[in-house]
Amino acid sequence: MFGIIVSAFMLTFGIFLKLTKNPGFAQNKKLAWVFIGIGAISLVFKIINYK
């Protein structure tokens, strides 16, 4: 359950980085796709393997 929450947070944080207009996060725009990818893939596999 904890892994699903962490994966969802990573996905949400990646989307936040992609959509934000805050200049403080401007240097982290390239990391947005990394967070989105890792968060989405791990979330899918955690949901598939959830028992």
Side-chain angles (χ1 to χ4, degrees), residues 29-44:
K29 290 278 187 181
K30 295 177 185 173
L31 279 175
W33 287 113
V34 173
F35 278 112
I36 291 171
I38 293 173
I41 291 170
S42 62
L43 185 63
V44 166

Side-chain angles (χ1 to χ4, degrees), residues 8-39:
F9 177 74
M10 285 178 62
L11 180 63
T12 306
F13 186 66
I15 293 170
F16 166 75
L17 282 178
K18 191 71 179 162
L19 298 177
T20 189
K21 302 292 184 200
N22 189 335
F25 289 111
Q27 62 193 7
N28 296 325
K29 290 278 187 181
K30 295 177 185 173
L31 279 175
W33 287 113
V34 173
F35 278 112
I36 291 171
I38 293 173

Side-chain angles (χ1 to χ4, degrees), residues 1 3 5-6 13 15 22 30 34 38 46-48 51:
M1 187 68 176
I5 294 169
V6 171
F13 186 66
I15 293 170
N22 189 335
K30 295 177 185 173
V34 173
I38 293 173
K46 295 224 185 266
I47 289 174
I48 289 173
K51 294 181 181 182

